[in-house]
């Protein structure tokens, strides 16, 4: 990592630290203070948006481990989120399991299901693996819809709110603290696992799985581990979503949502620590902008087709994906790295 002019590391421990300078720590503390003071300064509507962003960051962090670090293309991430959400719904509503035990159990269940559908990764890769994960999306949703005695089927299932220390987290503001705390821990976990032996094995498999196998890496084992970790975080995100929404149906977990998560990690930057954050912020705020602009365009241009405003969101999302793949394939994280280098090397930024 580039350091400001005049800053040096004099030990291996300092060189490997995430936060190396006093400025880093001051910025981290300031960011956390700002993050957890937002409920006192913004409206309930924007708190709901921030809660959705936090849940999406947790899910995107899992997909970033799977796709960005290990190179396993998955287009069924919403299905694994659904596994976590319905596990929480069953444990909390029918068995009375308290939070956070239901969240941990949801992550483990989603991770095990992810490992099951990750088995084809031993023989297939790339787009063929993507097809098998799409199959996971359809199979999971079919099971949810037809196992009505357990999941509620098409009628859905009600989930009680989070209760800690005899306090119900029912408002957007109270839920915000738990969701953001889990999001911060998920990013910290993702960043650190990339720096371990497991993370280095993931990167080796992503770059060249044949060379990784020659070096002694058990490719199949680490691929399954990547599926477990990535889907574990997806299950945690599903658990948070279940408590946040309070009512689940399979319509909350569509194939378009899975494609959305793939777009988030691509736009944010595959295999980077800040990629899920930047990608989630960009996509979720873009969605809010489209929702605001669509009615205005419909009223300003009545000659447009009746379905144009409704289809504006997917069209803008697809255009954003194409532009990033062409103009900035390394995502917003690369722009952020260039920005950091420019001010750290100032006045010799050239």
């Amino acid at each position: 990592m580039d350091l400001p002019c005049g800053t040096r590391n004099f030990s291996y421990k300092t060189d490997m630290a995430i936060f190396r300078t006093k400025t880093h720590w001051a910025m981290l503390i300031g960011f956390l203070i700002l993050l957890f003071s937002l409920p006192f300064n913004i409206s309930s509507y924007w708190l709901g948006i921030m809660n959705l962003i936090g849940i999406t960051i947790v899910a995107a962090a899992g997909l970033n481990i799977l796709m960005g670090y290990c190179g396993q293309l998955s287009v069924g991430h919403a299905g694994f989120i659904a596994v976590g959400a319905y596990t929480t719904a069953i444990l909390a509503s029918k068995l009375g399991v308290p939070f956070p035990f239901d969240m941990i159990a949801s992550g483990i269940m989603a991770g095990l299901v992810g490992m099951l559908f990750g088995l084809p990764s031993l023989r297939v890769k790339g787009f063929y693996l993507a097809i098998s994960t799409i199959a996971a999306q359809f199979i999971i949703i079919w099971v949810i819809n037809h196992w009505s005695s357990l999941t509620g089927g098409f009628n859905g299932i009600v989930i009680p709110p989070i209760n800690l220390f005899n306090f119900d987290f029912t408002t957007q503001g109270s839920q915000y603290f738990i969701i953001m705390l889990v999001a911060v821990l998920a990013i910290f976990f993702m960043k650190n696992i990339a720096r371990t032996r497991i993370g280095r094995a993931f990167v080796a498999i992503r770059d060249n799985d044949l060379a990784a196998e020659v070096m002694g890496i058990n490719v199949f084992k680490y691929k399954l581990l990547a599926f477990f970790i990535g889907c574990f975080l997806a299950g945690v995100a599903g658990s948070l979503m279940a408590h946040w929404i309070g009512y689940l149906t399979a319509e909350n977990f569509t194939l378009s949502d899975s494609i959305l998560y793939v777009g988030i990690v691509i736009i944010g930057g595959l295999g980077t620590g800040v990629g899920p954050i930047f990608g989630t912020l960009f996509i979720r705020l873009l969605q809010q902008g489209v929702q605001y602009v669509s009615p205005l365009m419909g009223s300003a241009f009545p000659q447009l087709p009746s379905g144009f405003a409704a289809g504006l969101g997917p069209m803008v999302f697809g255009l954003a994906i194409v532009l990033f793949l062409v103009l900035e394939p390394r995502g917003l994280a690369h722009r952020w790295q260039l920005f950091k280098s420019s001010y750290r090397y100032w006045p010799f930024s050239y």
Side-chain angles (χ1 to χ4, degrees):
M1 182 188 295
D2 299 326
L3 290 174
C5 291
T7 302
R8 297 291 182 268
N9 295 320
F10 296 98
S11 68
Y12 181 74
K13 180 180 178 181
T14 305
D15 184 63
M16 290 300 294
I18 297 177
F19 304 102
R20 309 190 209 181
T21 65
K22 293 180 179 179
T23 304
H24 287 168
W25 282 104
M27 292 176 65
L28 173 65
I29 293 171
F31 170 76
L32 292 177
I33 292 174
L34 176 63
L35 181 67
F36 288 101
S37 64
L38 280 180
F40 307 104
N41 299 293
I42 60 177
S43 65
S44 178
Y45 173 79
W46 281 105
L47 277 176
I49 301 301
M50 291 300 296
N51 286 337
L52 178 60
I53 287 174
I55 293 170
T56 307
I57 286 175
V58 177
L63 187 59
N64 192 43
I65 291 174
L66 187 57
M67 284 184 57
Y69 288 111
C70 198
Q72 305 304 300
L73 184 58
S74 174
V75 196
H77 208 58
F80 302 123
I81 295 173
V83 172
Y86 273 89
T87 301
T88 284
I90 294 165
L91 292 178
S93 63
K94 296 188 176 183
L95 301 179
V97 177
F99 185 88
F101 299 106
D102 61 344
M103 182 180 71
I104 297 172
S106 298
I108 294 173
M109 179 60 71
L112 293 176
V113 173
M115 287 179 63
L116 176 64
F117 286 101
L119 291 174
S121 64
L122 175 63
R123 297 298 181 189
V124 299
K125 63 178 68 174
F127 295 108
Y128 298 99
L129 182 59
I131 295 300
S132 69
T133 56
I134 290 176
Q137 168 78 29
F138 287 108
I139 291 172
I140 291 169
I141 298 303
W142 187 91
V143 171
I144 289 172
N145 283 329
H146 291 82
W147 198 352
S148 56
S149 61
L150 185 66
T151 64
F154 293 97
N155 295 324
I157 186 171
V158 177
I159 304 95
I162 294 173
N163 183 284
L164 286 175
F165 309 108
N166 294 322
F167 177 78
D168 288 332
F169 291 77
T170 55
T171 64
Q172 296 288 355
S174 61
Q175 292 173 329
Y176 174 89
F177 291 104
I178 291 180
I179 291 173
M180 285 303 164
L181 177 61
V182 175
V184 170
L185 293 176
I187 292 297
F188 184 74
F189 171 76
M190 179 196 67
K191 179 69 175 177
N192 276 278
I193 201 170
R195 293 144 40 90
T196 64
R197 180 179 180 179
I198 294 174
R200 291 191 292 271
F202 288 167
V203 173
I205 293 170
R206 178 196 66 191
D207 293 342
N208 192 317
D209 57 352
L210 180 59
E213 189 170 12
V214 170
M215 289 190 295
I217 295 174
N218 189 330
V219 174
F220 184 52
K221 168 188 170 183
Y222 281 102
K223 282 183 178 181
L224 288 185
L225 183 59
F227 268 97
F228 178 82
I229 296 174
C231 295
F232 175 88
L233 289 178
V236 170
S239 176
L240 293 174
M241 181 179 291
H243 284 297
W244 178 59
I245 295 176
Y247 179 78
L248 290 179
T249 65
E251 295 178 358
N252 297 118
F253 312 99
T254 62
L255 179 61
S256 61
D257 292 323
S258 293
I259 297 173
L260 180 75
Y261 286 110
V262 174
I264 284 173
V265 294
I266 290 174
I267 289 175
L270 287 165
T272 60
V274 295
I277 301 174
F278 287 151
T280 299
L281 287 172
F282 181 86
I283 291 298
R284 292 305 186 190
L285 294 179
L286 180 66
Q287 287 177 332
Q288 294 303 309
V290 169
Q291 288 180 10
Y292 178 77
V293 171
S294 295
L296 298 179
M297 291 189 63
S299 58
F301 303 99
Q303 64 272 21
L304 291 175
S306 58
F308 179 82
L312 185 61
M315 182 176 65
V316 172
F317 172 71
L319 180 62
I321 292 291
V322 171
L323 290 177
F324 269 92
L325 288 175
V326 173
L327 302 177
E328 188 49 273
R330 286 180 285 183
L332 293 171
H334 182 240
R335 292 287 107 190
W336 173 244
Q337 186 63 38
L338 294 178
F339 170 73
K340 288 194 297 183
S341 298
S342 66
Y343 81 77
R344 283 173 174 172
Y345 288 153
W346 186 88
F348 308 107
S349 300
Y350 56 86

